[in-house]
Every structure is written in structure tokens, then in C-alpha cells.
Amino acid sequence: MRSFHNLLMAVGATILCGCSSGTDNGSNSATATADSLNNEVIETIMARRSIRVYKPQAVEQEKLKRLVECGVYAPNGMALESWEVRVVEDPKFIARMDSLYQDYSKKNGMPERHATYGAPVIMFVAYDKNYSLSQVDCGLFGGNVMLAAQSLGLGTCCLGGICRFLTLPEASELYKQLELPDTHNLLFAIAIGYPDQAPEAKPRNMNKIKWIK
């Protein structure tokens, strides 16, 4: 009887511990839910800034290939992958583009403009003119690339003006080197490199967000 009594006591203690543990798990679950609102992905999104000063350090090929891979895994309509992408690392191409862009700006009375901000890599993204949502696909591609770059310690800046410039006669020599098909137009470019600045985030206007319930 004594051994049976001891067994009952042990079982009771186990049940009580289990109940207590269950209560703790509920508390931990609530904490885990709160913690999940601040994970590595969200931290990367919130930390990403547009970088306009870069170190001369080259970007490793493994990292560039990873960025492209992240880009092509972006959501895209009907899995068409409607983008065309060109990754330019040639320093002569980039220097020539910078020079032509600055000359063009001066001739047209515009403020001095920087085509690439000294980034060692420029990724050009072009959209399919025959697919109405191709620009959305390209935007999603670019978003993936820039966030992946942030996670790998790289800085990026989305560039629009340089793409418009490359379609002008003054830059035709460079545009031809991109070898884009006639079906596609340049949409934007992404400067990529190791950042040499750490700008603060600009304020965002949350008033443009409306909840419909």
C-alpha cells in the first residue's frame, strides 16, 4: 500500500507539473508571438537604406549570384518571369556612363547628377512592353534584390534617371551594349556595393494607409 501511495503521489506531482508547465507554455507562446514581430527578415527590411556613397571594394561573385537568385524567386504573374536583367561590373562601362550623364546634365542646365554614386555594380532591369503587369514583376524582382543585398552587408540604391538617359541618342553606344530585346524597355537600375555611409531613415507617412473592416 505504501508503494502504491507513493506511486499516486508521484503521478499527482507529474500532473501538477504538467498543468503548471502548460500555463507557462501559454505565457511563452504569447511572448513568442510578440517576438515574432521582430525577426531577422523584418529587421532587414527596416534597416535597409538608399546608399549614395560606396567603398571601392569589389562585390564577390558569390554574393552577386545570390542576389540574382533571390530576384528570380520573386512573385511574378503567371510565372512568366517577364523581366530582362543585365548585371554590369565593367568599370569602363560604368565610368563612361557617369561621364556622359554628367555632361548631359551640364549641357541641359540641370544640377550635377550622379549616375551610379560610385557603386562598382549596376543591375539594370527591363520590363516586357507586351505584358501589362511586367512592371509589377520587375518591381518585385528589385525589392528582393535590395533586401537580399542588405542581409549580405551590401548597400543599394534604386536608380531611375540613368535608365531614361540611356534611351537618349547621347547614350546609344552604352544602350546597345546591354543587348536588350526589342520587346523590353529599361525600367530601373540598382546600384550595388559596400556602403560607405549610414544614413538615417526618412520619416514615413502612415496616414496614407487606410483600414477597411
Side-chain angles (χ1 to χ4, degrees), residues 9-27:
M9 291 292 289
V11 171
T14 301
I15 293 174
L16 286 174
C17 288
C19 291
S20 176
S21 175
T23 302
D24 289 344
N25 286 340
S27 176

Side-chain angles (χ1 to χ4, degrees), residues 66-143:
R66 194 61 166 163
L67 296 186
V68 172
E69 184 180 18
C70 288
V72 298
Y73 270 82
N76 60 96
M78 298 183 289
L80 291 175
E81 299 180 47
S82 62
W83 46 68
E84 284 283 341
V85 180
R86 302 293 182 266
V87 183
V88 177
E89 301 176 78
D90 182 1
K92 293 182 179 179
F93 183 105
I94 294 174
R96 180 63 173 160
M97 184 168 59
D98 276 329
S99 177
L100 289 175
Y101 193 50
Q102 289 179 9
D103 289 345
Y104 174 79
S105 299
K106 291 177 182 178
K107 289 179 181 178
N108 288 274
M110 296 184 293
E112 182 180 354
R113 297 187 177 188
H114 300 275
T116 64
Y117 299 108
V121 180
I122 305 297
M123 183 182 293
F124 291 96
V125 182
Y127 70 96
D128 188 341
K129 295 182 290 185
N130 300 314
Y131 175 47
S132 61
L133 294 179
S134 182
Q135 294 189 35
V136 176
D137 292 348
C138 291
L140 293 169
F141 177 100

Side-chain angles (χ1 to χ4, degrees), residues 11-86:
V11 171
T14 301
I15 293 174
L16 286 174
C17 288
C19 291
S20 176
S21 175
T23 302
D24 289 344
N25 286 340
S27 176
N28 291 338
S29 177
T31 302
T33 300
D35 290 344
S36 69
L37 298 178
N38 191 32
N39 55 42
E40 290 184 4
V41 174
I42 292 177
E43 288 175 359
T44 297
I45 293 171
M46 300 304 288
R48 191 260 159 198
R49 304 283 181 270
S50 292
I51 301 300
R52 294 178 173 84
V53 183
Y54 293 88
K55 296 177 181 178
Q57 180 180 352
V59 179
E60 299 87 343
Q61 287 298 306
E62 293 78 10
K63 288 189 176 183
L64 289 177
K65 290 177 181 178
R66 194 61 166 163
L67 296 186
V68 172
E69 184 180 18
C70 288
V72 298
Y73 270 82
N76 60 96
M78 298 183 289
L80 291 175
E81 299 180 47
S82 62
W83 46 68
E84 284 283 341
V85 180
R86 302 293 182 266

